[in-house]
Amino acid sequence: MDKQRLIPLIVATALFMENMDSTVIATSLPAIAADIGTSPLTLKLAITSYLLSLAVFIPASGWTADRFGARMVFSIAIGVFMIGSIGCALSQNVHHFVIARILQGMGGAMMTPVGRLVLLRSIDKSALVNAMTWVTVPALIGPVIGPPLGGFITTYFSWHWIFLINIPIGLLGIFMAMKYIDPIKSEDPERFDLYGLVLAGIGLAGIAFGLSVAGLGLLPWPIVAGLVAIGTISMTLYVMHARRTGSPVLDFSLLRLSTMRASIIGGFLFRLGIGALPFLLPLLMQEGFGLTPFQSGLVTFASAVGAMGMKTLAARIIRAFGFRYMMTVNAVVSAVFLAACALFTVTTPLLLIFIILVVGGFFRSLQFTAINTVAYAEVEPAQMSRATTLVSVNQQLAISAGVAVGAFSVESTMLYQHVTELSAGVFPPAFIVVAIVSAVSAYFFWQMPDDAGHEISGRKAVEISSRKGAEKAATKAASEGTGDARDQRLG
């Protein structure tokens, strides 16, 4: 297998392991809680410690990769995640479980952004769309097969194996990374911004943790609001600090690049809406339709089928239409399929639900591939580590916000309908709300230049006509190799 596919698959093993681990636990929560002698509610609060650890350590990932080498940090991060997984399997009480999940979060915080950095520094820009596709598909499958796999393992084996299955996957990832990834690191790493890391860590932890537990009934609303407020204040102080330092851990100056700005702002809104789907859909299937966790997981597996179908077509679609037009239209199309979930009722045939989820999964996966790729279209090699850190933080906040918005919408509907129990009738407004939020992202994708990301997409760049209406058009061939890509960017 050539490097253009092998390295993305190596990176995908880590993302698959992390994404599946996060979702598989939800199905087995009652069994784990009963075995270690605590309540599911308490254990849910403990699991959010993973998000807390993730938010605190992600900002340090870029500098760490530059200082010690992306390959080495990526491999060590997988090892730390594996140690945390073993700790979870051996946990005897809730305190042990919390410590193990924090350790997993430290590993996960480095695996995702550093894995992307490995990809960006190893793959030519002209092949980046295909590379991102190979990374995205396994990463998307993890959260989808997580619920049925967790239910199956817990029912027929033991919940401990949920964490132990990470070990062979992690060992394979470390072996392949050390053997096939080049030991690339920055020759002149920047000064470490410790003060900025503290401010950003507190800010992200407060916002991500607060949003993650909002609407889940785990903490009183005043405490949730306090966490988000503290996080917001700390992030505001960080932004003020970042303007005065030459090496910020989160470099917001990258938002001056049109493609990065669209990927961050538009991507946040799109992920916020889509990120609520894995939270809302299993609840609708189980609480609304009365399906078992295993049956619910099998239905939602349809999204993975759509994602796999996208794998062979993403590069062709982006090459044919370009990032700007494709992402704008596809954001709306994906939002429509998300809103279609509001039409699901107890009498809706499962086959129809399956078809809608398959097709919707195709378009959602295509959009994720485009968002993750176009972000780096204008980023210089020296800024890649900062860019991957910023993108990873944005993703984490978007997913947390998606769960919060979905939960808040369901709670608001229950208050409006004067009901106290979850039923199928309280979910449609939530799907409509998150679909609208996702559709709004199309505006920010449309703001990109017409030839945005042409070095990556392989589509010919079009020179935009002047505002006065002069119809001057000139085309130039998009790059097919590294040398041509650099020449075109310099030009």
Side-chain angles (χ1 to χ4, degrees):
M1 187 179 294
D2 61 30
K3 189 173 81 169
Q4 311 293 344
R5 291 185 179 180
L6 184 60
I7 292 180
L9 287 176
I10 294 172
V11 174
T13 59
L15 301 185
F16 173 82
M17 187 167 59
E18 181 186 3
N19 290 342
M20 187 179 71
D21 188 86
S22 298
T23 53
V24 79
I25 294 175
T27 307
S28 308
L29 204 62
I32 299 174
D35 199 43
I36 64 176
T38 187
S39 68
L41 190 64
T42 303
L43 196 60
K44 270 190 176 182
L45 187 58
I47 288 177
T48 54
S49 60
Y50 177 84
L51 295 174
L52 194 65
S53 179
L54 208 64
V56 169
F57 289 102
I58 280 179
S61 60
W63 178 87
T64 306
D66 282 345
R67 176 67 178 83
F68 300 103
R71 183 184 72 173
M72 180 60 67
V73 173
F74 180 67
S75 300
I76 291 175
I78 296 177
V80 171
F81 190 87
M82 288 167 52
I83 294 172
S85 297
I86 294 173
C88 288
L90 299 178
S91 295
Q92 299 297 316
N93 55 53
V94 69
H95 299 97
H96 295 163
F97 198 79
V98 169
I99 294 172
R101 288 294 287 173
I102 289 175
L103 198 58
Q104 276 191 312
M106 292 173 62
M110 296 291 170
M111 281 198 308
T112 302
V114 176
R116 280 203 186 89
L117 186 60
V118 166
L119 194 70
L120 292 167
R121 288 180 173 173
S122 305
I123 304 296
D124 293 337
K125 277 196 171 184
S126 59
L128 197 55
V129 173
N130 275 325
M132 280 294 185
T133 301
W134 282 92
V135 169
T136 302
V137 172
L140 284 174
I141 292 175
V144 178
I145 70 172
L149 181 62
F152 179 80
I153 291 175
T154 303
T155 302
Y156 298 104
F157 295 95
S158 168
W159 65 265
H160 302 84
W161 289 102
I162 290 174
F163 300 100
L164 295 178
I165 58 176
N166 288 331
I167 308 308
I169 299 174
L171 289 174
L172 177 64
I174 293 174
F175 171 76
M176 298 292 283
M178 297 303 293
K179 185 172 183 178
Y180 294 106
I181 295 176
D182 297 329
I184 304 171
K185 66 178 180 179
S186 175
E187 296 180 359
D188 185 26
E190 298 174 331
R191 181 181 61 85
F192 185 55
D193 182 19
L194 179 60
Y195 179 64
L197 177 65
V198 172
L199 286 177
I202 294 174
L204 293 172
I207 295 172
F209 186 77
L211 291 177
S212 297
V213 298
L216 299 181
L218 300 179
L219 291 174
W221 273 106
I223 295 180
V224 173
L227 287 171
V228 175
I230 291 172
T232 303
I233 293 171
S234 186
M235 281 304 298
T236 303
L237 293 174
Y238 171 76
V239 171
M240 296 169 62
H241 162 75
R243 293 175 178 174
R244 301 191 299 267
T245 183
S247 55
V249 291
L250 293 177
D251 189 1
F252 293 115
S253 67
L254 290 170
L255 295 179
R256 296 171 185 168
L257 305 175
S258 61
T259 48
M260 176 61 81
R261 185 168 60 251
S263 179
I264 292 294
I265 301 176
F268 180 88
L269 293 172
F270 183 79
R271 281 194 184 89
L272 188 151
I274 304 302
L277 186 62
F279 168 74
L280 293 173
L281 198 56
L283 278 179
L284 173 63
M285 294 292 166
Q286 295 176 40
E287 302 293 338
F289 297 167
L291 300 181
T292 66
F294 186 59
Q295 291 172 325
S296 170
L298 290 177
V299 172
T300 55
F301 180 76
S303 296
V305 177
M308 290 298 293
M310 178 278 307
K311 178 177 67 67
T312 57
L313 299 176
R316 299 177 186 176
I317 294 173
I318 294 173
R319 187 181 301 116
F321 299 101
F323 279 106
R324 181 196 184 209
Y325 182 76
M326 189 283 294
M327 293 175 73
T328 302
V329 174
N330 195 50
V332 178
V333 173
S334 298
V336 169
F337 277 95
L338 180 57
C341 295
L343 302 177
F344 295 164
T345 65
V346 179
T347 59
T348 305
L350 287 180
L351 178 61
L352 179 59
I353 294 177
F354 191 87
I355 292 173
I356 291 174
L357 293 178
V358 166
V359 180
F362 174 90
F363 289 109
R364 287 191 294 273
S365 186
L366 174 62
Q367 192 76 354
F368 283 137
T369 298
I371 291 172
N372 291 334
T373 306
V374 79
Y376 308 104
E378 301 174 86
V379 178
E380 298 297 332
Q383 298 174 305
M384 280 298 182
S385 59
R386 294 186 188 179
T388 55
T389 301
L390 188 62
V391 169
S392 296
V393 166
N394 183 66
Q395 287 178 340
Q396 185 59 45
L397 289 178
I399 293 171
S400 299
V403 173
V405 171
F408 180 77
S409 299
V410 171
E411 276 202 342
S412 299
T413 304
M414 291 174 67
L415 287 174
Y416 178 78
Q417 296 180 356
H418 303 290
V419 296
T420 57
E421 298 292 332
L422 285 174
S423 64
V426 302
F427 288 95
F431 284 113
I432 297 298
V433 168
V434 295
I436 291 173
V437 174
S438 281
V440 171
S441 67
Y443 170 79
F444 296 94
F445 299 135
W446 184 251
Q447 298 304 307
M448 291 190 295
D450 189 59
D451 62 347
H454 59 83
E455 300 104 324
I456 298 175
S457 67
R459 185 172 181 260
K460 291 184 177 181
V462 180
E463 187 175 319
I464 309 303
S465 59
S466 65
R467 292 185 179 181
K468 295 181 180 180
E471 296 297 331
K472 296 179 180 179
T475 60
K476 49 185 177 180
S479 61
E480 295 189 10
T482 307
D484 290 339
R486 289 174 180 170
D487 291 341
Q488 195 160 343
R489 290 181 64 198
L490 291 174

